[in-house]
Structures are given as C-alpha cells and as structure tokens.
Amino acid sequence: MTTATVLLIAATLNLVLIIALSLSTAVWKARRERRARRHEEELAQLRPVMMRYLATWEDGDAHDLADILIAYRGVTTSFEELVAGLLPKLRGADRSMLVDILRRRGTIEDARMGTLSRLPVRRYRAVELLGAAGVSEGIPEATRLLGDRNTDVRLAAVRALGRIGTAEAAAGLLEHLDSEEALKHPIPPHPVTMALLRIGTDATDALVRSLEADSVEVRTICAEVLGVLGVYPAVSGLQVRARVDPSVSVRLGAAHALGRLSMPSSVDDLTAMLRTEEEVEVIAAACTALGRIADPASLPPLEQAVAHEHPTVRVAAAMALVAFGDTGLDRLREIAQQDAEGGDAAREVLARNSIATNTTPLISY
Amino acid sequence: MSSIVVVDDDSDIRGLLEFKLTAAGHSVTAEADGEAGLAAIMDVRPDVVVLDWMMPRMSGIEVCLELRKDPSMADIPVLFLTAKAQESDVQRGFAAGGNDYVIKPFSPRELSSRIDALLARTPR
C-alpha cells in the first residue's frame, strides 16, 4: 500500500467521522429542543391548574384540582419543580396546602429516602426539598447529612435545618457542630449563623445550652446569635463567657451580645473586663457594650479607658461616652483639652460626632 | 367589582395574584416591570395597586413617587409587596407614598384581606 493510498483512506475516515459527529449533534440538538418545547407545554398546562387551586382551595370545591395535582406525572416536568419555585415565596395556609399536596404525592417520603442516595446530587436535591417544604420529619435526615462527605450537601443540610426552623433542628445543628464528626467534614460558621438566626427564638434553649459546648466555634456562634436574637434569659450565661472563657472570639462574641442585650446587670462584668482583659479587641467591645447600656456607673471606668495605651480602646471608650448624651460629651470635652493620648481620641470622636449630628464643632483648635 | 393593577417581575407571584384576586371578584391587570406597570396604572386608573419594589426598568418606589406627583392618581392606594424587609425599607416604602407594606414570603390570604381593607377605606 502506497503512502498516497494510506493518506486517502485516513482522509476518507476523517470525513466520515466528521459527518457522523455533525449528524449526531444535530439529532441531539433537535431532541433537546423538542424536550424543551414539551417541557414548556407541560408547564403551561400544569401552572394554571396549580394557580387556580391556590386561588380557590379555601372554597372547599376544588377537590378535583387537588386530585389532578396529586396524580400529575409529567414526562419532562413535575409538580415538584413548579412548587419548588413557589414555596420560598409563600407563607401561611397556602404554603401549608402546597406542602400537604407534596406529602400526599409521596414527595416528602421520597426525599427522605433520597437523602440516602449514593449520588451527591440526589442527596443535595432531597435535602433541599425537605428544607423548602420545611417539614419537621426531615430533621433526622438533614442532621445526618451535616456529616456528608460532600460540602454542597452539608451546606444544603444546614440551610434545610434553618428553614425547617424548630428547637429540634437547632439542637441537631449545634450538637453536630460540637461533635468529633464535624472536625472531619467542617462547616463554615456563616451559614450556621444564618440558619440559627432564621430559626429565631425557637433556637433559644439549644443556644443557651451550647454556650458550654467544647467547640470554640460553637460557643462563639451561640454568643453572637443570642445577642442578635435578643434572648434576655441568656444574659447570665453570656456574662460568665465574657469573664472566663479561654477563647478570645468567645469573649468578644459575649461582649457584643451583652451590649446588644443592654441589661444594667452586665455593667459590673463589663467594667471588670476593662481592668482584667488583655485582648485589645475584647476591651474595645466591652467599651462599646457599656456605651449601649449607658449606665452612669460605667462613666468613670470609660473615662479611664479613654487614656488606654491602645488607640482602638481609646476611640471605642470615647465613642461609648457619646452615648451618654450631654454628660458624656462634657467629659469628652474635658478630656479633649488634655494633651495626653486620651485627648487625641476625645478630639477625634467629638469631631466625628459634630459631623454626624451636623452641629457646629464642640471644641475649637 | 374593583380593578387592581399588580406589578411584579416574578411570574409565579403575578400568576398567583391574578388567579386569587380574580377569584375574589376583582378585575386584575398584571405587568412585569415598573415602566409597563406605570403605563397600565395610567391606562386603567385602578382602585388599588400592588407593587413589587425591585423590578427592571423602574423600581416600585419610583413608580409610587410618579403616581404621587400626578394629582389625578395621587389618591390611588398602593400596597408594596416586596422582599425588602428591613425597618428602614418599610419606612422608605411609606415615605414614598405607600399605603400598606407586605413582606415576602407572604400569605396570599393576608394580602387579599389587606387589599379589601384598602378598598374599604378608599372613598369612590
């Protein structure tokens, strides 16, 4: 066989391959377009039925529509797909009614089983659905998936527990994070915080309990979330954390929370922190917290803190004094006349305050 | 029968409100963006407007401010239906001339009651 023949055969084979590839691509595209058209048609049929049911179910004569939705089996689309878009936008009885249809279709049970799938994408979809539906029977599955080897699945499980939003969901989330398993497959703190905030006051008991958790991250999250949620029964636990916790981030979180809760009973602990705390950030946070509480008993220690060796503390203390109104401002003006380092902080804060309140400068240079 | 204009870029919410309010005996016009919504309001002169805040072309706040500028439409009650849930957002909604404010996720039943209340308070 000559070289020319070999080349000719190779070129022919190439041509055949290109034609075959083009044909298969065209067929695949046509199929995809047909499927998309079918999908749109099915959605166009299903959507009005669901909307009509949502609009009329209260009248009690829409049972036939409910039966259609429960029995609906599309080729390219599903009732679940449509509901997944609507559930996050609704609350109240209409939402419960949609969840009831999902339950009667067996979707919730399927999703619970789906969390056991070997495929991460199926586990993800299953736990997302349990979260979107907000059904408490999904808590054990979502809690189990907090330890999933796939990061996306773990994060979906955190979100799901936040959406389900019960005391049990909060407890499951915090207990998992404090376990050894959480060290193998870590979960970033931000989504956990968001989930706990979403659960809200239902998470109170679990949050207060977990102030004593082994994990520094859990204690920190709990301290911050308790402050944001305004859980007043947590004040004594937070005071203890602010005083004695070995972790800087926990003491910082506790100081933030005590400031947000603004209970006068925290003044002694916070002023003690100004004397005994070594971390600058925590001292500054204690100053800010004292400013929020604005108890006259904390004026002298705050005045002393304006002369602290670190500028962050000096400014935080000076800003806290502003919160005391005229009394605090008078003290700041006195300090501003001094040449010591506290004077710089006082002048800076007075200047900021005069700009913020659009008043004439309180001191002249 | 009262006429209601719903302006929301979310087709699910538009569709749901169209069905719900029509079933309640109202005449509903639904639009997907602020500009088209304003045009529909000027055309229909509805009894109530349900306005989303964040929409393409023109925000709900801008639509509401335009309505309040025009003496012939300044009295049309406006209900904001929005995901903007901060206290300051609610204040802005009312400051722009909104008569009511409902935060998403929302209860269609509650929204319907609020629309009825707005209609009952509005002299015709």
Side-chain angles (χ1 to χ4, degrees), chain A residues 51-59 93-94 97, chain B residues 4 13-26 28 106-113 115:
Chain A
M51 294 302 179
R52 198 170 301 123
Y53 182 63
L54 270 171
T56 59
W57 68 275
E58 282 177 279
D59 304 341
D94 297 81
M97 183 275 301
Chain B
I4 297 171
I13 290 179
R14 258 192 342 267
L16 173 60
L17 292 182
E18 263 188 284
F19 272 101
K20 184 101 187 160
L21 298 172
T22 306
H26 304 297
V28 182
F106 71 107
S107 154
R109 290 210 292 189
E110 182 190 323
L111 184 84
S112 189
S113 301
I115 289 173

PDB file of all heavy atoms in Angstrom, chain A residues 51-59 93-94 97, chain B residues 4 13-26 28 106-113 115:
ATOM      1  N   MET A  51     -52.270  27.270  40.057  1.00  0.00           N
ATOM      2  CA  MET A  51     -52.657  28.630  40.460  1.00  0.00           C
ATOM      3  C   MET A  51     -54.152  28.676  40.801  1.00  0.00           C
ATOM      4  O   MET A  51     -54.548  29.320  41.769  1.00  0.00           O
ATOM      5  CB  MET A  51     -52.351  29.627  39.331  1.00  0.00           C
ATOM      6  CG  MET A  51     -50.878  29.792  39.057  1.00  0.00           C
ATOM      7  SD  MET A  51     -49.971  30.345  40.513  1.00  0.00           S
ATOM      8  CE  MET A  51     -48.308  30.402  39.882  1.00  0.00           C
ATOM      9  N   ARG A  52     -54.944  27.996  39.973  1.00  0.00           N
ATOM     10  CA  ARG A  52     -56.389  28.003  40.234  1.00  0.00           C
ATOM     11  C   ARG A  52     -56.673  27.315  41.572  1.00  0.00           C
ATOM     12  O   ARG A  52     -57.504  27.764  42.348  1.00  0.00           O
ATOM     13  CB  ARG A  52     -57.136  27.304  39.092  1.00  0.00           C
ATOM     14  CG  ARG A  52     -58.630  27.656  39.088  1.00  0.00           C
ATOM     15  CD  ARG A  52     -59.336  27.168  37.835  1.00  0.00           C
ATOM     16  NE  ARG A  52     -58.766  27.709  36.618  1.00  0.00           N
ATOM     17  CZ  ARG A  52     -58.294  26.961  35.616  1.00  0.00           C
ATOM     18  NH1 ARG A  52     -58.316  25.654  35.704  1.00  0.00           N
ATOM     19  NH2 ARG A  52     -57.811  27.521  34.535  1.00  0.00           N
ATOM     20  N   TYR A  53     -55.936  26.243  41.829  1.00  0.00           N
ATOM     21  CA  TYR A  53     -56.148  25.541  43.093  1.00  0.00           C
ATOM     22  C   TYR A  53     -55.765  26.440  44.274  1.00  0.00           C
ATOM     23  O   TYR A  53     -56.501  26.545  45.262  1.00  0.00           O
ATOM     24  CB  TYR A  53     -55.340  24.241  43.125  1.00  0.00           C
ATOM     25  CG  TYR A  53     -55.583  23.462  44.405  1.00  0.00           C
ATOM     26  CD1 TYR A  53     -56.854  22.971  44.702  1.00  0.00           C
ATOM     27  CD2 TYR A  53     -54.554  23.239  45.306  1.00  0.00           C
ATOM     28  CE1 TYR A  53     -57.095  22.284  45.876  1.00  0.00           C
ATOM     29  CE2 TYR A  53     -54.792  22.543  46.485  1.00  0.00           C
ATOM     30  CZ  TYR A  53     -56.061  22.071  46.766  1.00  0.00           C
ATOM     31  OH  TYR A  53     -56.300  21.397  47.920  1.00  0.00           O
ATOM     32  N   LEU A  54     -54.615  27.115  44.128  1.00  0.00           N
ATOM     33  CA  LEU A  54     -54.177  28.026  45.203  1.00  0.00           C
ATOM     34  C   LEU A  54     -55.194  29.140  45.435  1.00  0.00           C
ATOM     35  O   LEU A  54     -55.383  29.589  46.561  1.00  0.00           O
ATOM     36  CB  LEU A  54     -52.835  28.661  44.823  1.00  0.00           C
ATOM     37  CG  LEU A  54     -51.575  27.924  45.249  1.00  0.00           C
ATOM     38  CD1 LEU A  54     -50.351  28.541  44.613  1.00  0.00           C
ATOM     39  CD2 LEU A  54     -51.420  27.965  46.773  1.00  0.00           C
ATOM     40  N   ALA A  55     -55.837  29.573  44.351  1.00  0.00           N
ATOM     41  CA  ALA A  55     -56.795  30.681  44.470  1.00  0.00           C
ATOM     42  C   ALA A  55     -58.141  30.244  45.016  1.00  0.00           C
ATOM     43  O   ALA A  55     -58.879  31.051  45.571  1.00  0.00           O
ATOM     44  CB  ALA A  55     -56.974  31.354  43.111  1.00  0.00           C
ATOM     45  N   THR A  56     -58.468  28.946  44.859  1.00  0.00           N
ATOM     46  CA  THR A  56     -59.840  28.537  45.184  1.00  0.00           C
ATOM     47  C   THR A  56     -59.951  27.440  46.245  1.00  0.00           C
ATOM     48  O   THR A  56     -61.055  27.067  46.605  1.00  0.00           O
ATOM     49  CB  THR A  56     -60.563  28.038  43.909  1.00  0.00           C
ATOM     50  OG1 THR A  56     -59.805  26.938  43.375  1.00  0.00           O
ATOM     51  CG2 THR A  56     -60.682  29.129  42.871  1.00  0.00           C
ATOM     52  N   TRP A  57     -58.821  26.927  46.725  1.00  0.00           N
ATOM     53  CA  TRP A  57     -58.891  25.756  47.611  1.00  0.00           C
ATOM     54  C   TRP A  57     -59.698  26.026  48.879  1.00  0.00           C
ATOM     55  O   TRP A  57     -60.341  25.134  49.419  1.00  0.00           O
ATOM     56  CB  TRP A  57     -57.486  25.255  47.987  1.00  0.00           C
ATOM     57  CG  TRP A  57     -56.725  26.199  48.870  1.00  0.00           C
ATOM     58  CD1 TRP A  57     -55.982  27.255  48.482  1.00  0.00           C
ATOM     59  CD2 TRP A  57     -56.652  26.173  50.294  1.00  0.00           C
ATOM     60  NE1 TRP A  57     -55.441  27.907  49.553  1.00  0.00           N
ATOM     61  CE2 TRP A  57     -55.841  27.256  50.690  1.00  0.00           C
ATOM     62  CE3 TRP A  57     -57.188  25.350  51.274  1.00  0.00           C
ATOM     63  CZ2 TRP A  57     -55.553  27.533  52.009  1.00  0.00           C
ATOM     64  CZ3 TRP A  57     -56.900  25.626  52.604  1.00  0.00           C
ATOM     65  CH2 TRP A  57     -56.095  26.703  52.956  1.00  0.00           C
ATOM     66  N   GLU A  58     -59.711  27.289  49.300  1.00  0.00           N
ATOM     67  CA  GLU A  58     -60.434  27.622  50.533  1.00  0.00           C
ATOM     68  C   GLU A  58     -61.934  27.454  50.388  1.00  0.00           C
ATOM     69  O   GLU A  58     -62.643  27.265  51.362  1.00  0.00           O
ATOM     70  CB  GLU A  58     -60.166  29.080  50.915  1.00  0.00           C
ATOM     71  CG  GLU A  58     -58.849  29.291  51.564  1.00  0.00           C
ATOM     72  CD  GLU A  58     -58.624  30.760  51.836  1.00  0.00           C
ATOM     73  OE1 GLU A  58     -58.228  31.485  50.918  1.00  0.00           O
ATOM     74  OE2 GLU A  58     -58.871  31.162  52.980  1.00  0.00           O
ATOM     75  N   ASP A  59     -62.430  27.558  49.139  1.00  0.00           N
ATOM     76  CA  ASP A  59     -63.872  27.460  48.918  1.00  0.00           C
ATOM     77  C   ASP A  59     -64.399  26.049  49.188  1.00  0.00           C
ATOM     78  O   ASP A  59     -65.598  25.837  49.307  1.00  0.00           O
ATOM     79  CB  ASP A  59     -64.228  27.862  47.480  1.00  0.00           C
ATOM     80  CG  ASP A  59     -63.697  29.263  47.173  1.00  0.00           C
ATOM     81  OD1 ASP A  59     -63.426  29.987  48.145  1.00  0.00           O
ATOM     82  OD2 ASP A  59     -63.548  29.590  45.986  1.00  0.00           O
ATOM     83  N   ALA A  93     -51.374  29.617  55.255  1.00  0.00           N
ATOM     84  CA  ALA A  93     -52.188  28.444  54.905  1.00  0.00           C
ATOM     85  C   ALA A  93     -51.945  27.972  53.471  1.00  0.00           C
ATOM     86  O   ALA A  93     -51.968  26.764  53.206  1.00  0.00           O
ATOM     87  CB  ALA A  93     -53.656  28.800  55.091  1.00  0.00           C
ATOM     88  N   ASP A  94     -51.709  28.905  52.546  1.00  0.00           N
ATOM     89  CA  ASP A  94     -51.491  28.485  51.156  1.00  0.00           C
ATOM     90  C   ASP A  94     -50.227  27.643  51.026  1.00  0.00           C
ATOM     91  O   ASP A  94     -50.183  26.676  50.272  1.00  0.00           O
ATOM     92  CB  ASP A  94     -51.389  29.717  50.254  1.00  0.00           C
ATOM     93  CG  ASP A  94     -52.688  30.499  50.248  1.00  0.00           C
ATOM     94  OD1 ASP A  94     -52.901  31.283  51.203  1.00  0.00           O
ATOM     95  OD2 ASP A  94     -53.494  30.314  49.342  1.00  0.00           O
ATOM     96  N   MET A  97     -50.843  24.239  52.409  1.00  0.00           N
ATOM     97  CA  MET A  97     -51.639  23.448  51.486  1.00  0.00           C
ATOM     98  C   MET A  97     -50.748  22.817  50.399  1.00  0.00           C
ATOM     99  O   MET A  97     -50.916  21.648  50.050  1.00  0.00           O
ATOM    100  CB  MET A  97     -52.702  24.365  50.870  1.00  0.00           C
ATOM    101  CG  MET A  97     -53.671  23.716  49.951  1.00  0.00           C
ATOM    102  SD  MET A  97     -53.013  23.614  48.318  1.00  0.00           S
ATOM    103  CE  MET A  97     -52.721  25.315  47.970  1.00  0.00           C
TER     104      MET A  97
ATOM    105  N   ILE B   4     -57.676  46.162  39.961  1.00  0.00           N
ATOM    106  CA  ILE B   4     -56.385  46.119  40.668  1.00  0.00           C
ATOM    107  C   ILE B   4     -55.278  45.943  39.636  1.00  0.00           C
ATOM    108  O   ILE B   4     -55.398  45.118  38.719  1.00  0.00           O
ATOM    109  CB  ILE B   4     -56.349  44.952  41.674  1.00  0.00           C
ATOM    110  CG1 ILE B   4     -57.432  45.171  42.749  1.00  0.00           C
ATOM    111  CG2 ILE B   4     -54.973  44.840  42.327  1.00  0.00           C
ATOM    112  CD1 ILE B   4     -57.653  44.005  43.664  1.00  0.00           C
ATOM    113  N   ILE B  13     -45.626  34.925  41.207  1.00  0.00           N
ATOM    114  CA  ILE B  13     -46.441  35.790  42.078  1.00  0.00           C
ATOM    115  C   ILE B  13     -47.505  36.513  41.263  1.00  0.00           C
ATOM    116  O   ILE B  13     -48.662  36.618  41.674  1.00  0.00           O
ATOM    117  CB  ILE B  13     -45.536  36.771  42.850  1.00  0.00           C
ATOM    118  CG1 ILE B  13     -44.745  35.971  43.887  1.00  0.00           C
ATOM    119  CG2 ILE B  13     -46.348  37.878  43.525  1.00  0.00           C
ATOM    120  CD1 ILE B  13     -43.791  36.747  44.715  1.00  0.00           C
ATOM    121  N   ARG B  14     -47.104  36.981  40.068  1.00  0.00           N
ATOM    122  CA  ARG B  14     -48.100  37.625  39.201  1.00  0.00           C
ATOM    123  C   ARG B  14     -49.258  36.677  38.911  1.00  0.00           C
ATOM    124  O   ARG B  14     -50.421  37.031  39.058  1.00  0.00           O
ATOM    125  CB  ARG B  14     -47.437  38.023  37.877  1.00  0.00           C
ATOM    126  CG  ARG B  14     -47.115  39.466  37.795  1.00  0.00           C
ATOM    127  CD  ARG B  14     -46.736  39.937  36.411  1.00  0.00           C
ATOM    128  NE  ARG B  14     -46.345  38.993  35.417  1.00  0.00           N
ATOM    129  CZ  ARG B  14     -45.102  38.615  35.153  1.00  0.00           C
ATOM    130  NH1 ARG B  14     -44.119  39.121  35.854  1.00  0.00           N
ATOM    131  NH2 ARG B  14     -44.829  37.763  34.192  1.00  0.00           N
ATOM    132  N   GLY B  15     -48.884  35.453  38.521  1.00  0.00           N
ATOM    133  CA  GLY B  15     -49.910  34.461  38.163  1.00  0.00           C
ATOM    134  C   GLY B  15     -50.811  34.150  39.350  1.00  0.00           C
ATOM    135  O   GLY B  15     -52.041  34.132  39.231  1.00  0.00           O
ATOM    136  N   LEU B  16     -50.187  33.939  40.513  1.00  0.00           N
ATOM    137  CA  LEU B  16     -50.963  33.594  41.708  1.00  0.00           C
ATOM    138  C   LEU B  16     -51.940  34.712  42.070  1.00  0.00           C
ATOM    139  O   LEU B  16     -53.120  34.460  42.337  1.00  0.00           O
ATOM    140  CB  LEU B  16     -49.999  33.321  42.869  1.00  0.00           C
ATOM    141  CG  LEU B  16     -50.625  33.106  44.239  1.00  0.00           C
ATOM    142  CD1 LEU B  16     -51.571  31.908  44.210  1.00  0.00           C
ATOM    143  CD2 LEU B  16     -49.554  32.884  45.294  1.00  0.00           C
ATOM    144  N   LEU B  17     -51.440  35.956  42.048  1.00  0.00           N
ATOM    145  CA  LEU B  17     -52.312  37.077  42.422  1.00  0.00           C
ATOM    146  C   LEU B  17     -53.417  37.288  41.399  1.00  0.00           C
ATOM    147  O   LEU B  17     -54.549  37.637  41.757  1.00  0.00           O
ATOM    148  CB  LEU B  17     -51.493  38.355  42.612  1.00  0.00           C
ATOM    149  CG  LEU B  17     -50.553  38.354  43.826  1.00  0.00           C
ATOM    150  CD1 LEU B  17     -49.830  39.684  43.964  1.00  0.00           C
ATOM    151  CD2 LEU B  17     -51.314  38.040  45.112  1.00  0.00           C
ATOM    152  N   GLU B  18     -53.090  37.061  40.134  1.00  0.00           N
ATOM    153  CA  GLU B  18     -54.128  37.195  39.101  1.00  0.00           C
ATOM    154  C   GLU B  18     -55.274  36.237  39.381  1.00  0.00           C
ATOM    155  O   GLU B  18     -56.441  36.624  39.390  1.00  0.00           O
ATOM    156  CB  GLU B  18     -53.531  36.884  37.728  1.00  0.00           C
ATOM    157  CG  GLU B  18     -53.128  38.131  36.958  1.00  0.00           C
ATOM    158  CD  GLU B  18     -52.716  37.794  35.536  1.00  0.00           C
ATOM    159  OE1 GLU B  18     -51.605  37.277  35.366  1.00  0.00           O
ATOM    160  OE2 GLU B  18     -53.516  38.051  34.612  1.00  0.00           O
ATOM    161  N   PHE B  19     -54.916  34.973  39.654  1.00  0.00           N
ATOM    162  CA  PHE B  19     -55.958  33.965  39.928  1.00  0.00           C
ATOM    163  C   PHE B  19     -56.701  34.283  41.220  1.00  0.00           C
ATOM    164  O   PHE B  19     -57.913  34.243  41.285  1.00  0.00           O
ATOM    165  CB  PHE B  19     -55.332  32.578  40.018  1.00  0.00           C
ATOM    166  CG  PHE B  19     -55.228  31.894  38.688  1.00  0.00           C
ATOM    167  CD1 PHE B  19     -54.038  31.860  38.003  1.00  0.00           C
ATOM    168  CD2 PHE B  19     -56.336  31.285  38.106  1.00  0.00           C
ATOM    169  CE1 PHE B  19     -53.933  31.236  36.770  1.00  0.00           C
ATOM    170  CE2 PHE B  19     -56.243  30.651  36.870  1.00  0.00           C
ATOM    171  CZ  PHE B  19     -55.035  30.636  36.196  1.00  0.00           C
ATOM    172  N   LYS B  20     -55.922  34.606  42.239  1.00  0.00           N
ATOM    173  CA  LYS B  20     -56.506  34.799  43.575  1.00  0.00           C
ATOM    174  C   LYS B  20     -57.466  35.997  43.582  1.00  0.00           C
ATOM    175  O   LYS B  20     -58.581  35.902  44.086  1.00  0.00           O
ATOM    176  CB  LYS B  20     -55.366  35.040  44.578  1.00  0.00           C
ATOM    177  CG  LYS B  20     -55.801  35.167  46.008  1.00  0.00           C
ATOM    178  CD  LYS B  20     -55.559  33.885  46.748  1.00  0.00           C
ATOM    179  CE  LYS B  20     -56.130  33.916  48.144  1.00  0.00           C
ATOM    180  NZ  LYS B  20     -56.322  32.597  48.699  1.00  0.00           N
ATOM    181  N   LEU B  21     -57.001  37.117  43.029  1.00  0.00           N
ATOM    182  CA  LEU B  21     -57.814  38.329  43.082  1.00  0.00           C
ATOM    183  C   LEU B  21     -58.990  38.260  42.110  1.00  0.00           C
ATOM    184  O   LEU B  21     -60.072  38.790  42.388  1.00  0.00           O
ATOM    185  CB  LEU B  21     -56.947  39.568  42.810  1.00  0.00           C
ATOM    186  CG  LEU B  21     -55.825  39.792  43.848  1.00  0.00           C
ATOM    187  CD1 LEU B  21     -54.891  40.909  43.430  1.00  0.00           C
ATOM    188  CD2 LEU B  21     -56.427  40.106  45.221  1.00  0.00           C
ATOM    189  N   THR B  22     -58.791  37.577  40.992  1.00  0.00           N
ATOM    190  CA  THR B  22     -59.908  37.392  40.058  1.00  0.00           C
ATOM    191  C   THR B  22     -60.977  36.523  40.717  1.00  0.00           C
ATOM    192  O   THR B  22     -62.174  36.805  40.625  1.00  0.00           O
ATOM    193  CB  THR B  22     -59.419  36.751  38.742  1.00  0.00           C
ATOM    194  OG1 THR B  22     -58.356  37.550  38.221  1.00  0.00           O
ATOM    195  CG2 THR B  22     -60.539  36.674  37.708  1.00  0.00           C
ATOM    196  N   ALA B  23     -60.510  35.453  41.409  1.00  0.00           N
ATOM    197  CA  ALA B  23     -61.469  34.576  42.094  1.00  0.00           C
ATOM    198  C   ALA B  23     -62.232  35.337  43.184  1.00  0.00           C
ATOM    199  O   ALA B  23     -63.368  34.985  43.520  1.00  0.00           O
ATOM    200  CB  ALA B  23     -60.727  33.387  42.708  1.00  0.00           C
ATOM    201  N   ALA B  24     -61.573  36.390  43.717  1.00  0.00           N
ATOM    202  CA  ALA B  24     -62.240  37.193  44.760  1.00  0.00           C
ATOM    203  C   ALA B  24     -63.163  38.252  44.154  1.00  0.00           C
ATOM    204  O   ALA B  24     -63.727  39.069  44.878  1.00  0.00           O
ATOM    205  CB  ALA B  24     -61.189  37.857  45.642  1.00  0.00           C
ATOM    206  N   GLY B  25     -63.264  38.267  42.837  1.00  0.00           N
ATOM    207  CA  GLY B  25     -64.222  39.156  42.175  1.00  0.00           C
ATOM    208  C   GLY B  25     -63.646  40.475  41.683  1.00  0.00           C
ATOM    209  O   GLY B  25     -64.398  41.384  41.333  1.00  0.00           O
ATOM    210  N   HIS B  26     -62.312  40.577  41.640  1.00  0.00           N
ATOM    211  CA  HIS B  26     -61.702  41.820  41.157  1.00  0.00           C
ATOM    212  C   HIS B  26     -61.284  41.668  39.697  1.00  0.00           C
ATOM    213  O   HIS B  26     -61.085  40.562  39.198  1.00  0.00           O
ATOM    214  CB  HIS B  26     -60.462  42.172  41.988  1.00  0.00           C
ATOM    215  CG  HIS B  26     -60.735  42.273  43.459  1.00  0.00           C
ATOM    216  ND1 HIS B  26     -61.580  43.217  43.990  1.00  0.00           N
ATOM    217  CD2 HIS B  26     -60.288  41.541  44.512  1.00  0.00           C
ATOM    218  CE1 HIS B  26     -61.635  43.068  45.302  1.00  0.00           C
ATOM    219  NE2 HIS B  26     -60.867  42.047  45.645  1.00  0.00           N
ATOM    220  N   VAL B  28     -58.251  42.226  37.300  1.00  0.00           N
ATOM    221  CA  VAL B  28     -56.805  42.336  37.553  1.00  0.00           C
ATOM    222  C   VAL B  28     -56.023  42.565  36.257  1.00  0.00           C
ATOM    223  O   VAL B  28     -56.247  41.881  35.257  1.00  0.00           O
ATOM    224  CB  VAL B  28     -56.269  41.058  38.246  1.00  0.00           C
ATOM    225  CG1 VAL B  28     -54.783  41.188  38.544  1.00  0.00           C
ATOM    226  CG2 VAL B  28     -57.036  40.780  39.527  1.00  0.00           C
ATOM    227  N   PHE B 106     -44.966  35.826  51.647  1.00  0.00           N
ATOM    228  CA  PHE B 106     -46.213  36.418  52.111  1.00  0.00           C
ATOM    229  C   PHE B 106     -47.348  35.399  52.097  1.00  0.00           C
ATOM    230  O   PHE B 106     -47.243  34.339  51.469  1.00  0.00           O
ATOM    231  CB  PHE B 106     -46.579  37.611  51.228  1.00  0.00           C
ATOM    232  CG  PHE B 106     -47.032  37.227  49.842  1.00  0.00           C
ATOM    233  CD1 PHE B 106     -48.372  37.331  49.474  1.00  0.00           C
ATOM    234  CD2 PHE B 106     -46.141  36.752  48.903  1.00  0.00           C
ATOM    235  CE1 PHE B 106     -48.797  36.971  48.202  1.00  0.00           C
ATOM    236  CE2 PHE B 106     -46.564  36.388  47.630  1.00  0.00           C
ATOM    237  CZ  PHE B 106     -47.882  36.498  47.276  1.00  0.00           C
ATOM    238  N   SER B 107     -48.411  35.773  52.802  1.00  0.00           N
ATOM    239  CA  SER B 107     -49.602  34.925  52.805  1.00  0.00           C
ATOM    240  C   SER B 107     -50.605  35.554  51.836  1.00  0.00           C
ATOM    241  O   SER B 107     -51.058  36.677  52.062  1.00  0.00           O
ATOM    242  CB  SER B 107     -50.185  34.870  54.210  1.00  0.00           C
ATOM    243  OG  SER B 107     -51.564  34.600  54.130  1.00  0.00           O
ATOM    244  N   PRO B 108     -50.959  34.858  50.761  1.00  0.00           N
ATOM    245  CA  PRO B 108     -51.926  35.413  49.813  1.00  0.00           C
ATOM    246  C   PRO B 108     -53.250  35.777  50.492  1.00  0.00           C
ATOM    247  O   PRO B 108     -53.898  36.751  50.123  1.00  0.00           O
ATOM    248  CB  PRO B 108     -52.115  34.290  48.795  1.00  0.00           C
ATOM    249  CG  PRO B 108     -50.851  33.515  48.854  1.00  0.00           C
ATOM    250  CD  PRO B 108     -50.423  33.573  50.282  1.00  0.00           C
ATOM    251  N   ARG B 109     -53.623  34.989  51.509  1.00  0.00           N
ATOM    252  CA  ARG B 109     -54.883  35.290  52.208  1.00  0.00           C
ATOM    253  C   ARG B 109     -54.792  36.643  52.916  1.00  0.00           C
ATOM    254  O   ARG B 109     -55.705  37.452  52.871  1.00  0.00           O
ATOM    255  CB  ARG B 109     -55.176  34.204  53.251  1.00  0.00           C
ATOM    256  CG  ARG B 109     -55.542  32.889  52.620  1.00  0.00           C
ATOM    257  CD  ARG B 109     -56.475  32.109  53.478  1.00  0.00           C
ATOM    258  NE  ARG B 109     -55.860  31.638  54.715  1.00  0.00           N
ATOM    259  CZ  ARG B 109     -56.468  30.790  55.523  1.00  0.00           C
ATOM    260  NH1 ARG B 109     -57.662  30.335  55.244  1.00  0.00           N
ATOM    261  NH2 ARG B 109     -55.877  30.379  56.621  1.00  0.00           N
ATOM    262  N   GLU B 110     -53.649  36.846  53.586  1.00  0.00           N
ATOM    263  CA  GLU B 110     -53.461  38.114  54.301  1.00  0.00           C
ATOM    264  C   GLU B 110     -53.429  39.270  53.302  1.00  0.00           C
ATOM    265  O   GLU B 110     -54.040  40.322  53.535  1.00  0.00           O
ATOM    266  CB  GLU B 110     -52.144  38.058  55.081  1.00  0.00           C
ATOM    267  CG  GLU B 110     -51.882  39.303  55.889  1.00  0.00           C
ATOM    268  CD  GLU B 110     -50.459  39.324  56.457  1.00  0.00           C
ATOM    269  OE1 GLU B 110     -49.951  38.265  56.850  1.00  0.00           O
ATOM    270  OE2 GLU B 110     -49.872  40.418  56.495  1.00  0.00           O
ATOM    271  N   LEU B 111     -52.746  39.069  52.191  1.00  0.00           N
ATOM    272  CA  LEU B 111     -52.665  40.128  51.181  1.00  0.00           C
ATOM    273  C   LEU B 111     -54.059  40.495  50.684  1.00  0.00           C
ATOM    274  O   LEU B 111     -54.395  41.680  50.551  1.00  0.00           O
ATOM    275  CB  LEU B 111     -51.792  39.664  50.007  1.00  0.00           C
ATOM    276  CG  LEU B 111     -51.567  40.731  48.951  1.00  0.00           C
ATOM    277  CD1 LEU B 111     -50.418  41.642  49.333  1.00  0.00           C
ATOM    278  CD2 LEU B 111     -51.288  40.125  47.594  1.00  0.00           C
ATOM    279  N   SER B 112     -54.861  39.470  50.435  1.00  0.00           N
ATOM    280  CA  SER B 112     -56.215  39.696  49.948  1.00  0.00           C
ATOM    281  C   SER B 112     -57.019  40.517  50.967  1.00  0.00           C
ATOM    282  O   SER B 112     -57.738  41.448  50.605  1.00  0.00           O
ATOM    283  CB  SER B 112     -56.865  38.332  49.706  1.00  0.00           C
ATOM    284  OG  SER B 112     -58.061  38.493  49.052  1.00  0.00           O
ATOM    285  N   SER B 113     -56.855  40.190  52.252  1.00  0.00           N
ATOM    286  CA  SER B 113     -57.562  40.937  53.300  1.00  0.00           C
ATOM    287  C   SER B 113     -57.092  42.384  53.349  1.00  0.00           C
ATOM    288  O   SER B 113     -57.884  43.305  53.551  1.00  0.00           O
ATOM    289  CB  SER B 113     -57.315  40.314  54.677  1.00  0.00           C
ATOM    290  OG  SER B 113     -57.756  38.996  54.667  1.00  0.00           O
ATOM    291  N   ILE B 115     -55.888  44.107  50.868  1.00  0.00           N
ATOM    292  CA  ILE B 115     -56.437  44.810  49.700  1.00  0.00           C
ATOM    293  C   ILE B 115     -57.896  45.186  49.968  1.00  0.00           C
ATOM    294  O   ILE B 115     -58.320  46.312  49.685  1.00  0.00           O
ATOM    295  CB  ILE B 115     -56.301  43.926  48.431  1.00  0.00           C
ATOM    296  CG1 ILE B 115     -54.834  43.853  48.025  1.00  0.00           C
ATOM    297  CG2 ILE B 115     -57.152  44.477  47.288  1.00  0.00           C
ATOM    298  CD1 ILE B 115     -54.535  42.882  46.904  1.00  0.00           C
TER     299      ILE B 115
END
